[in-house]
């Protein structure tokens, strides 16, 4: 009987075989691209990075939202902070002309509070380096480092936000707000999903945004980046996907609160402060990602005190999944294990795809969905027939 | 054994099995576990899917709905088979 066949999980075996096929194709596509990929620096999907060129010649990017501690830097060897990049992966529209606006709000923490007005972070933006920073911005499309055919900046401003003085009269953080409008043209048209990035750094040696003997550095939640991409520079044609994503992720949004709510005592060490910030951000991020609303949280906490039922766990998991957003999908492939390989960080969302990939993938996905739909309808009809008998 | 008694016993068995399964899911407490890593893994998977599967944001919900419908059908089939087993008393 058909029912018995179904109960033998015949359908599930077909489903999992299709799933296995998809996974196999996916893995093959990744491997074929990994082999071709040399250096992929771009971070993706609402991930911003802070780049410090002094410590390692610019080869390392630090993930936003986590304390970027600059410790053990002596007064005689000031640490120069030279640049920030913002990279976001998404559907930015089709075309080769682009424009947009970027706002970067950098906050530097003093792990060891300095007397008011003294400060151990030397501000460069807004003074003699303002024009230098303006001429060394770049916003472009594609993997990080992709050069546009043309690029121009307008309405550049760099503002020193001053410092915050706590109840003891000590200066414990300072900030800068830099923003500009941009427009440009790529050498060829982009379509589909790809990276968009903005960066700012002085171009010449011995120039820096600011210097600090000791600091923890963050991008605050005003940091954002919008891109408009079109096939025409005149704007007369219909722009496709003009409204870009506001690249402020959940971690970013918590940073200001984290900074303002942390109680810093005069004797706190850099590690203490970093740990406090990290703990607070992790708890807030976890709270945001588990994503339950008030009632779910209350039921969850009640369940936690007595142990959670499977239904509670499932419900909270579904709530969290519904609120989950695409994260960074960075996976480190240690290519040094392979002949001729090097230590390379490969980002699965930044690998180049062959031109035929989308066609093949679309066909496979369509077959999968159609097959699943047909099977579902067939089973419904069979069930109806069985009930009718 | 009369047919009515057979039906009663079978019905009782099915009811006990059903109640056990339901209570395991809704009443029996399990140690609390952190769902954060699972959800983060899901977010990471979503990011990868967005890049590698054309129209992933549309297709994934459709597939989930279809799978949910399939699961419902499976439950209905189990209910149907259970009912037939209960009513089959002439063997």
């Amino acid at each position: 009987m058909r029912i018995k066949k179904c109960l033998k999980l015949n359908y599930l075996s077909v489903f999992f075989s299709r799933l296995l096929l998809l996974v196999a194709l996916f893995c093959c596509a990744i491997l074929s691209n990994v082999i071709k990929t040399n250096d992929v620096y771009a971070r993706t999907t609402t991930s911003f990075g802070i780049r410090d060129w002094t410590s390692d010649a610019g080869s390392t990017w630090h993930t936003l939202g986590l304390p970027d501690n600059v410790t053990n830097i002596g007064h005689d060897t000031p640490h120069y902070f030279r640049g920030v990049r913002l990279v976001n992966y998404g559907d930015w529209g089709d075309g080769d002309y682009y424009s947009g606006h970027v706002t970067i709000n950098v906050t530097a923490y003093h792990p060891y509070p300095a007397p008011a007005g003294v400060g151990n972070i030397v501000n460069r933006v807004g003074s003699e380096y303002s024009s230098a920073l303006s001429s060394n911005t770049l916003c472009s499309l594609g993997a990080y480092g992709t050069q546009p055919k043309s690029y121009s900046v307008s309405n550049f401003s760099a503002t020193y936000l001053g410092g915050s003085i706590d109840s003891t009269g000590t200066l414990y953080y300072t900030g800068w707000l830099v923003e500009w409008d941009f427009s440009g043209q790529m050498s060829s048209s982009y379509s589909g999903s790809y990276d968009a990035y903005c960066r700012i750094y002085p171009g010449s040696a011995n120039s820096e945004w600011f210097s600090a003997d000791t600091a923890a550095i963050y991008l605050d939640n005003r940091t954002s980046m919008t891109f408009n991409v079109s096939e025409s520079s005149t704007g007369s044609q219909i722009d496709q996907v003009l409204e870009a994503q506001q690249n402020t992720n959940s971690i970013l949004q918590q940073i200001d609160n984290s900074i303002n709510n942390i109680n810093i005592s005069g004797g706190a060490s850099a590690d203490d402060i970093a740990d406090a910030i990290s703990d607070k951000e992790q708890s807030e991020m976890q709270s945001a990602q588990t994503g339950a609303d008030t009632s779910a949280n209350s039921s969850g906490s009640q369940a936690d005190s007595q142990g959670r039922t499977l239904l509670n766990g499932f419900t909270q998991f579904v709530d969290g999944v519904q609120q989950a957003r695409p994260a960074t999908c960075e996976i480190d492939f240690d290519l040094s294990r392979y002949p001729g390989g090097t230590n390379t960080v490969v980002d699965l969302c930044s690998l180049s795809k062959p031109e035929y990939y989308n066609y093949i993938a679309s066909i496979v996905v369509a077959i999968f969905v159609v097959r699943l739909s047909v099977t579902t309808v067939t089973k419904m009809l069979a069930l109806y027939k069985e009930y009718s008998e | 054994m009369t047919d009515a008694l057979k039906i009663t016993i079978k019905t009782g068995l099915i009811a006990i099995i059903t109640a056990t399964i339901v209570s395991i899911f809704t009443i029996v407490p399990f140690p609390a576990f952190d769902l954060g890593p699972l959800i983060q893994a899901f977010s990471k998977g979503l990011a990868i899917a967005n890049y590698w599967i054309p129209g992933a944001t549309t297709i994934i919900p459709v597939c989930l709905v279809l799978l949910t419908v399939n699961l419902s059908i499976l439950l209905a089939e189990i209910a149907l088979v259970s009912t037939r087993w209960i009513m089959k008393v002439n063997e």
Side-chain angles (χ1 to χ4, degrees):
Chain A
M1 288 176 65
R2 188 169 298 181
I3 292 296
K4 287 186 177 178
K5 285 182 180 177
C6 290
L7 288 177
K8 286 177 182 175
L9 303 181
N10 183 43
Y11 164 72
L12 285 180
S13 67
V14 172
F15 166 69
F16 282 113
S17 65
R18 295 288 188 277
L19 196 62
L20 197 61
L21 180 64
L22 274 178
V23 171
L25 286 174
F26 177 71
C27 292
C28 288
I30 288 175
L31 286 177
S32 66
N33 280 280
V34 166
I35 292 170
K36 295 174 185 174
T37 302
N38 295 321
D39 295 316
V40 179
Y41 292 117
R43 292 180 185 271
T44 59
T45 316
T46 65
S47 174
F48 298 157
I50 297 176
R51 192 174 200 179
D52 185 324
W53 280 17
T54 302
S55 62
D56 56 6
S59 64
T60 302
W61 288 85
H62 303 282
T63 303
L64 172 69
L66 298 177
D68 182 9
N69 287 313
V70 183
T71 57
N72 300 322
I73 304 296
H75 286 275
D76 295 332
T77 55
H79 198 80
Y80 296 122
F81 182 85
R82 292 185 171 175
V84 173
R85 69 170 185 175
L86 311 179
V87 183
N88 190 36
Y89 166 80
D91 292 321
W92 299 102
D94 296 344
D96 50 350
Y97 290 93
Y98 64 95
S99 62
H101 179 83
V102 59
T103 301
I104 298 174
N105 185 5
V106 172
T107 294
Y109 239 122
H110 297 265
Y112 304 105
V118 176
N120 54 0
I121 293 181
V122 179
N123 172 34
R124 298 291 190 180
V125 178
S127 58
E128 68 267 33
Y129 282 88
S130 181
S131 58
L133 286 170
S134 171
S135 61
N136 286 289
T137 67
L138 179 62
C139 294
S140 184
L141 307 178
Y144 180 77
T146 304
Q147 294 291 326
K149 182 184 293 182
S150 65
Y151 171 76
S152 62
V153 179
S154 59
N155 299 324
F156 180 89
S157 68
T159 307
Y160 175 57
L161 299 178
S164 177
I165 300 175
D166 68 5
S167 58
T168 64
T170 55
L171 184 67
Y172 63 93
Y173 78 82
T174 52
W176 295 262
L177 184 68
V178 181
E179 54 187 334
W180 70 91
D181 296 323
F182 58 86
S183 60
Q185 182 188 6
M186 300 303 297
S187 56
S188 59
S189 179
Y190 275 76
S191 62
S193 300
Y194 45 86
D195 282 332
Y197 75 88
C198 284
R199 71 186 186 190
I200 177 171
Y201 58 86
S204 59
N206 299 321
S207 59
E208 69 275 4
W209 189 326
F210 56 84
S211 64
D213 49 5
T214 304
I217 300 162
Y218 300 88
L219 294 182
D220 277 351
N221 65 1
R222 270 184 284 186
T223 300
S224 64
M225 180 174 67
T226 58
F227 266 80
N228 303 323
V229 181
S230 67
E231 296 176 342
S232 168
S233 62
T234 62
S236 58
Q237 299 180 16
I238 298 174
D239 290 344
Q240 300 177 25
V241 195
L242 289 181
E243 188 62 33
Q245 300 168 15
Q246 290 291 335
N247 302 329
T248 305
N249 62 17
S250 59
I251 300 173
L252 260 178
Q253 292 170 355
Q254 307 297 332
I255 291 176
D256 258 359
N257 291 334
S258 299
I259 289 174
N260 293 331
N261 292 336
I262 288 175
N263 181 22
I264 298 178
S265 63
S269 68
D271 289 341
D272 292 339
I273 295 171
D275 290 343
I277 296 170
S278 179
D279 291 345
K280 187 171 183 59
E281 285 174 352
Q282 284 181 6
S283 64
E284 288 171 347
M285 183 174 68
Q286 186 174 340
S287 172
Q289 287 190 339
T290 50
D293 56 21
T294 306
S295 59
N297 277 333
S298 59
S299 64
S301 58
Q302 185 180 1
D304 285 343
S305 63
Q306 301 170 351
R308 177 188 286 137
T309 64
L310 285 177
L311 188 60
N312 275 334
F314 179 74
T315 303
Q316 291 174 15
F317 177 73
V318 171
D319 283 342
V321 164
Q322 285 176 339
Q323 297 189 19
R325 294 180 176 82
T328 56
C329 57
E330 207 172 63
I331 294 181
D332 296 346
F333 286 102
D334 184 5
L335 297 183
S336 63
R337 297 169 60 183
Y338 303 99
T342 57
N343 281 326
T344 302
V345 177
V346 176
D347 189 335
L348 286 180
C349 292
S350 294
L351 297 173
S352 60
K353 288 186 285 192
E355 291 182 1
Y356 55 82
Y357 173 83
N358 276 346
Y359 297 107
I360 296 177
S362 298
I363 292 171
V364 172
V365 168
I367 290 173
F368 174 75
V369 173
V370 169
R371 170 71 181 175
L372 188 59
S373 304
V374 169
T375 308
T376 303
V377 172
T378 305
K379 284 163 65 69
M380 290 176 71
L381 291 174
L383 186 65
Y384 174 76
K385 188 177 178 182
E386 291 288 340
Y387 268 102
S388 302
E389 288 176 354
Chain B
M1 189 179 291
T2 63
D3 290 349
L5 184 57
K6 286 181 179 177
I7 291 174
T8 304
I9 292 173
K10 287 182 176 182
T11 305
L13 276 173
I14 295 293
I16 290 170
I17 293 171
T18 304
T20 303
I21 294 173
V22 170
S23 64
I24 286 174
F25 276 85
T26 59
I27 298 174
V28 176
F30 285 85
F33 46 90
D34 183 12
L35 294 170
L38 282 177
I39 295 168
Q40 287 181 22
F42 178 82
S43 298
K44 185 169 283 190
L46 201 60
I48 298 173
N50 265 334
Y51 185 74
W52 288 99
I53 303 177
T57 51
T58 304
I59 290 170
I60 289 174
V62 169
C63 288
L64 289 178
V65 168
L66 287 172
L67 290 174
T68 306
V69 171
N70 274 272
L71 183 63
S72 304
I73 292 173
L74 187 64
L75 293 176
E77 287 169 348
I78 291 173
L80 180 62
V81 171
S82 301
T83 306
R84 287 188 171 174
W85 177 68
I86 289 172
M87 300 306 293
K88 190 182 289 184
V89 292
N90 294 324
E91 291 182 349

